[in-house]
Amino acid sequence: MRCVLATVRTASLANKPEIKLNVMTVNPMYHQTNQRMEEELCWIKRAKENPESFGPLYRRYHEQIFRYIYQRMNDEETAFDVTSQVFMKALSNLHRYEFRGVPFSSWLYRIAKSELYQAFRDKKAERTVNIETYQLFEIIEEFDEDNTEANKKKLFDSLSKLKEKDMQLLELRFFEKRSFREIGEILDLTENNAKVKSFRALEKLKKIFNHK
Amino acid sequence: MEIKTIQLDRSRLSAAHIASRQNFKQIVTCCQAPSISPFKSPLFFGAMGLSSFTLVMLLSMNEQVVSEDTNMPNRGVETR
């Protein structure tokens, strides 16, 4: 797979001098130093004995988890509610948590994913996909097409034809710039599998786009 | 799962706004509250099950003793 979205020409979109931004430098919040992970393990150990010690973990991950949830729904209040549910569930199941060499956030994201889909099933929220215009143009560039308004509209329509599982992968990889390793951990896939599936999802989108 | 809407360029919430909605106390309070009713706890059912079993066993043993007593032939009659 070609280095997907290796550079973003933000300038061409905003009429500013061309700045090449390497978007492959994925979510900086995810890749943690050993020191940070050790610190987290210490907090987890303490929180297992005393729930009040969960505070630092809550403060560290609240925004990330909220943004993950709010990105996929339209209602801010519901997103805050679901975020609270995620942390309540995490705290009440903390005794089951085992460190497997991946950041604590992966575990939180998995809970967030299940709570999010529960909210959709309970009709508390509507599934929404939030995209920025520049992200649409990034994908159009990936398809080797011109960044025109017509193509933007075509891609916008194509996205709505995509199945949920493919949309999920595109959101994580192309809209949120997560690494394949992180995608794998969130969706319970291997890193390689996440890579292959993301590529296939993009191929499917391209197919729909070209048929339009 | 059906994708209902695709929104373009929704305004981004500030980190300060999100942080202002943190409520750790609520999280801790909810987790400390007893979530399982005592009637649904395994302890309740364990105790109930054990006592019911013991009661049935005792009753059936008692019934056996009574029936053995009543079925005894020539009870109270002296035989020579």
Side-chain angles (χ1 to χ4, degrees):
Chain A
M1 186 178 168
R2 188 152 66 90
C3 182
V4 188
L5 307 176
T7 54
V8 187
R9 288 181 188 84
T10 47
S12 59
L13 309 175
N15 295 328
K16 285 175 189 167
E18 188 169 274
I19 303 161
K20 285 196 177 183
L21 169 73
N22 186 3
V23 291
M24 289 307 284
T25 48
V26 287
N27 185 1
M29 294 294 282
Y30 179 73
H31 293 275
Q32 303 183 352
T33 59
N34 280 346
Q35 191 191 348
R36 202 174 140 125
M37 274 167 76
E38 275 170 24
E39 183 186 48
E40 274 186 9
L41 278 176
C42 221
W43 287 339
I44 293 164
K45 201 178 165 191
R46 266 186 247 149
K48 278 181 181 178
E49 288 154 13
N50 175 19
E52 297 280 347
S53 307
F54 189 68
L57 287 164
Y58 175 76
R59 282 184 284 279
R60 177 174 283 183
Y61 290 115
H62 180 266
E63 186 182 338
Q64 274 186 63
I65 297 296
F66 170 78
R67 288 202 191 276
Y68 171 84
I69 291 164
Y70 187 47
Q71 188 69 20
R72 287 156 180 80
M73 62 167 64
N74 52 356
D75 186 43
E76 189 187 316
E77 285 308 309
T78 317
F80 276 117
D81 285 350
V82 176
T83 308
S84 297
Q85 285 293 329
V86 171
F87 284 99
M88 280 176 205
K89 213 159 210 179
L91 186 54
S92 52
N93 289 299
L94 199 64
H95 60 282
R96 288 190 202 158
Y97 174 80
E98 278 173 37
F99 179 67
R100 289 178 187 163
V102 293
F104 182 66
S105 58
S106 301
W107 190 64
L108 286 178
Y109 276 118
R110 281 201 204 182
I111 299 175
K113 193 184 133 208
S114 97
E115 286 298 309
L116 188 66
Y117 284 88
Q118 189 58 50
F120 294 144
R121 278 193 293 272
D122 296 347
K123 313 263 182 222
K124 283 182 195 163
E126 270 189 5
R127 174 73 167 105
T128 311
V129 178
N130 287 290
I131 323 171
E132 305 287 324
T133 306
Y134 80 90
Q135 291 170 329
L136 284 180
F137 285 134
E138 279 175 13
I139 295 180
I140 293 170
E141 274 189 19
E142 188 58 32
F143 292 165
D144 288 326
E145 298 284 341
D146 295 328
N147 275 337
T148 59
E149 275 301 312
N151 274 343
K152 182 184 145 189
K153 194 183 175 307
K154 207 167 121 179
L155 181 61
F156 194 80
D157 293 341
S158 307
L159 279 168
S160 60
K161 300 258 183 314
L162 217 57
K163 284 183 182 163
E164 169 62 20
K165 59 178 180 151
D166 296 319
M167 180 58 92
Q168 222 176 47
L169 285 155
L170 289 183
E171 273 182 312
L172 290 167
R173 178 65 187 160
F174 301 106
F175 305 155
E176 293 168 18
K177 318 283 187 247
R178 290 176 198 272
S179 69
F180 291 119
R181 188 175 162 203
E182 191 180 8
I183 297 171
E185 278 154 18
I186 295 172
L187 300 179
D188 207 5
L189 302 168
T190 62
E191 189 176 346
N192 245 351
N193 211 353
K195 201 183 234 177
V196 171
K197 285 193 171 184
S198 304
F199 175 66
R200 282 188 193 148
L202 192 68
E203 283 293 298
K204 279 180 196 168
L205 181 65
K206 191 174 181 179
K207 216 171 176 179
I208 301 168
F209 180 83
N210 288 333
H211 274 99
K212 277 205 162 267
Chain B
M1 177 64 54
E2 196 188 333
I3 297 162
K4 298 275 183 187
T5 347
I6 300 180
Q7 280 187 343
L8 204 58
D9 297 328
R10 182 173 67 180
S11 61
R12 194 179 155 87
L13 294 178
S14 69
H17 174 69
I18 298 169
S20 72
R21 297 292 303 268
Q22 285 187 2
N23 191 352
F24 183 60
K25 269 192 180 170
Q26 183 203 3
I27 307 288
V28 175
T29 317
C30 287
C31 288
Q32 281 173 339
S35 53
I36 304 171
S37 124
F39 296 109
K40 288 179 184 171
S41 80
L43 273 175
F44 175 78
F45 279 105
M48 282 300 284
L50 204 66
S51 52
S52 308
F53 178 74
T54 317
L55 190 70
V56 169
M57 287 299 285
L58 280 172
L59 281 173
S60 64
M61 277 171 72
N62 191 36
E63 211 169 83
Q64 215 175 343
V65 170
V66 170
S67 66
E68 271 174 17
D69 281 357
T70 49
N71 288 342
M72 198 177 272
N74 305 325
R75 194 188 164 134
V77 179
E78 252 181 58
T79 49
R80 282 182 190 173

